[in-house]
Amino acid sequence: MASGKAVIRARPWAVACFLLPALLLLGALVVYPIAYTVWRSLFDASGDGFVGLDNFTELFSNDSIRHALRNNLIWIVVAPTVATGLGLIFAVLTERIRWATAFKLIIFMPMAISMLAAGIIFRLVYEQDPDRGLANAVLTTVHDTFSGDSSWPDAEPRPDGPITAQDDGSYLLETPVSAGQPVLLPLVAVPQPELEGAAPAAAAEGGADEVSGTVWMDFTRGGGTPDTIDPEEKGLAGITVEAVRDGDVVADATTGDDGTFTLPAEADGAQLRLAADSFTAPYNGAEWLGPNLVTPAIIGSYVWMWAGFAMVLIAAGLAGVPRETLEAARVDGANEWQVFRRITVPLLAPLLAVVMVTLMINVLKIFDLVYVIPPSSSQGDANVLALQLYLESFGTGGDQGVGSAIAVLLLLLVLPVMFFNLRRLRRENQR
């Protein structure tokens, strides 16, 4: 250190000549843009009128900018924490598996993809249609496995027919039924593709002490008689028919392939109701890119990309943890969770802080994913400061004064994190 200072004092011009190119480059690419942005933030949209701090006042009075700031705070808290936590878990787990290198390669691979490409990928992943969006395809598969699906979600009663729709989604035949008299329950509006493979409807043949009937698609192309089973009409299978008396279900049955059903004698004199479960709309998954889930969904795509980055850094630090310390704890009776919580994590704390700080600075500048993934209808709900800066400066507003003020605000938000990081590095160098 002393010799370095002596060289600087003895040959200051030589030192200045070596530093001058770097200083000029630093000034042109860093110092000047920052200074000009601060200066531009004090002027109006045209750049001619000096407005002082009015643009900064606009930051906290504009609803869009306040919403973007709130989303940035969510990003700062959630994204780095989740990515670092997953990176720590992956790094620890890779020490326990045989194919650690292959696992690390798979987890780190998203880092090779640009933000723009990742945004396009996750725009497709979050598609609402389960036939196109992977996320909803998984959700609907799991849901239908445990809950099943409705039989005929599009079926409706004929407007002038004997059945009426109820508020709970069921269809009610208000006229009480009698044993030995077949009941006709016609429905319409079932698309032809849903009827492919359906059996022809048949007239019910119940006993004298039973209530029987038919539920069918009462429509024939080119003609047909309403409320009558025509030869080409199809039966609606799998519909639950309930016999209701005084609000209580006294009997129920499920229609067969030809749409027929049979209820016991208890149904005599009751009203028939087609259960709502047979007509509920199919489950199409979550609205990932809707106003409520769009920000968590985008954060999920960010974590998918950056968890590998955190894992690689933490795994490198984990390789330097003294193994004798871990083994000594195990010999003393500590289980794996106690070793992880009381030894591994404290020893990795400085490195975890580095990863957290790096990701916090990164998420403050997040732009690509928020610009690409949400549709225009929900982009405002996912808005962040970097995107708002672009929209204010180069969008329909065209106000570079406010855009520059947003840039200054972003700089002020990054500075505390940078100072924390520099202070931590200085302390480590002093050890």
Side-chain angles (χ1 to χ4, degrees), residues 24-314:
L24 290 176
L25 191 63
L26 185 67
L29 299 181
V30 178
V31 178
Y32 173 74
I34 292 176
Y36 180 76
T37 301
V38 174
W39 174 258
R40 184 65 180 84
S41 67
L42 303 177
F43 289 81
D44 60 9
S46 64
D48 299 325
F50 181 80
V51 295
L53 299 178
D54 288 353
N55 289 328
F56 294 93
T57 304
E58 175 71 12
L59 299 185
F60 301 99
S61 59
N62 187 300
D63 291 337
S64 297
I65 299 176
R66 285 189 299 174
H67 186 77
L69 178 60
R70 184 164 58 250
N71 281 343
N72 263 107
L73 295 177
I74 295 174
W75 271 87
I76 291 173
V77 173
V78 177
T81 304
V82 175
T84 304
L86 285 177
L88 176 61
I89 293 172
F90 292 153
V92 173
L93 289 179
T94 50
E95 289 198 328
R96 302 284 180 174
I97 61 177
R98 294 181 58 186
W99 304 99
T101 302
F103 181 82
K104 289 180 181 178
L105 178 63
I106 293 173
I107 298 299
F108 189 75
M109 194 177 296
M111 284 294 298
I113 303 174
S114 69
M115 285 280 196
L116 177 63
I120 295 173
I121 290 171
F122 275 87
R123 177 67 180 267
L124 298 175
V125 168
Y126 292 136
E127 277 280 354
Q128 181 67 44
D129 186 357
D131 293 331
R132 299 179 61 188
L134 175 63
N136 277 339
V138 174
L139 278 183
T140 53
T141 301
V142 174
H143 177 273
D144 293 344
T145 300
F146 293 98
S147 300
D149 200 359
S150 59
S151 303
W152 306 96
D154 298 306
E156 298 176 1
R158 188 185 299 278
D160 55 350
I163 306 174
T164 57
Q166 305 299 299
D167 293 337
D168 62 354
S170 62
Y171 301 146
L172 180 67
L173 178 66
E174 297 184 358
T175 304
V177 296
S178 301
Q181 297 181 1
V183 182
L184 298 179
L185 300 174
L187 295 175
V188 295
V190 180
Q192 289 298 322
E194 294 183 16
L195 291 171
E196 291 182 4
E205 297 179 358
D209 58 346
E210 296 176 327
V211 174
S212 59
T214 305
V215 183
W216 85 104
M217 172 62 175
D218 187 19
F219 176 80
T220 301
R221 289 182 177 179
T225 305
D227 301 329
T228 301
I229 302 176
D230 294 314
E232 297 182 3
E233 294 175 345
K234 304 289 186 178
L236 302 182
I239 294 179
T240 301
V241 183
E242 300 172 335
V244 181
R245 182 180 290 113
D246 298 328
D248 297 325
V249 178
V250 296
D252 63 78
T254 302
T255 58
D257 291 340
D258 58 0
T260 60
F261 64 91
T262 301
L263 294 166
E266 289 82 0
D268 186 24
Q271 295 175 306
L272 295 189
R273 181 175 65 189
L274 305 182
D277 292 344
S278 302
F279 309 104
T280 54
Y283 178 70
N284 286 324
E287 193 178 357
W288 295 105
L289 300 181
N292 296 324
L293 293 178
V294 62
T295 294
I298 300 174
I299 291 176
S301 66
Y302 177 88
V303 171
W304 175 77
M305 291 190 65
W306 287 87
F309 167 82
M311 177 197 66
V312 170
L313 291 185
I314 296 172

Side-chain angles (χ1 to χ4, degrees), residues 309-361:
F309 167 82
M311 177 197 66
V312 170
L313 291 185
I314 296 172
L318 195 60
V321 173
R323 299 301 164 186
E324 57 271 15
T325 305
L326 303 179
E327 294 302 328
R330 294 188 180 101
V331 171
D332 290 340
N335 57 37
E336 293 301 321
W337 170 245
Q338 290 172 328
V339 171
F340 173 76
R341 183 167 59 91
R342 297 186 177 183
I343 297 177
T344 304
V345 173
L347 289 176
L348 291 175
L351 180 60
L352 295 177
V354 171
V355 176
M356 283 283 291
V357 169
T358 303
L359 294 179
M360 288 175 68
I361 295 174

